[in-house]
Amino acid sequence: AVINLVGGFILFVMKLMVVAGTAVAAYIWLAPNPNLHYWALVVLAICIVSWFISDIFIGVYDMTVDTLFICFAEDSERNDGSSSKPYFASKNLQKFMADHKKEKGSPTKIEG
């Protein structure tokens, strides 16, 4: 639950950064044009489109992160780390998750 909350906030901030960068670029490109009287509406339309595009791309990234966590959970559930049933997760991920579980005080079955 906490991973989804923090991850969702970080992804939301990433979307805002993409929209802000797009808005600044559109302003720099469109504001000096003397023939364009309503450049702010054009910048707003560009920001709306960039929000939807960034939402799609960052949504794919979010799904990838969720998939990695699900695969790790399934790996730790099905395998025990022995030579006959080794873990498929990287050693760094195993160590990170084992350290995190130790900090929380819950038992861990992953030993790196």
Side-chain angles (χ1 to χ4, degrees), residues 4-24 46-63 66:
N4 283 336
L5 182 65
V6 171
F9 176 73
I10 289 172
L11 294 176
F12 178 73
V13 170
M14 286 173 59
K15 291 176 198 176
L16 287 179
M17 289 174 54
V18 168
V19 172
T22 305
V24 168
I46 290 171
C47 288
I48 292 170
V49 170
S50 71
W51 175 265
F52 287 117
I53 292 172
S54 68
D55 185 48
I56 291 168
F57 277 95
I58 292 174
V60 171
Y61 177 76
D62 184 34
M63 192 179 308
D66 288 344

Side-chain angles (χ1 to χ4, degrees), residues 9-10 15 27 29 34 36 42 49 53 55 57 61 66 80 83 85 91 95-96 99 102 110-111:
F9 176 73
I10 289 172
K15 291 176 198 176
Y27 172 77
W29 185 46
L36 186 60
V42 177
V49 170
I53 292 172
D55 185 48
F57 277 95
Y61 177 76
D66 288 344
D80 58 5
S83 60
K85 289 178 130 184
K91 296 294 181 190
K95 183 179 182 313
F96 174 78
D99 290 346
K102 287 177 188 174
I110 298 175
E111 296 172 4

Side-chain angles (χ1 to χ4, degrees), residues 19-20 34-35 38-39 45 51 70 82-83 88-89 93 106 108:
V19 172
N35 296 329
Y38 300 106
W39 58 265
W51 175 265
I70 290 170
S82 66
S83 60
F88 292 102
L93 182 58
S106 63
T108 179

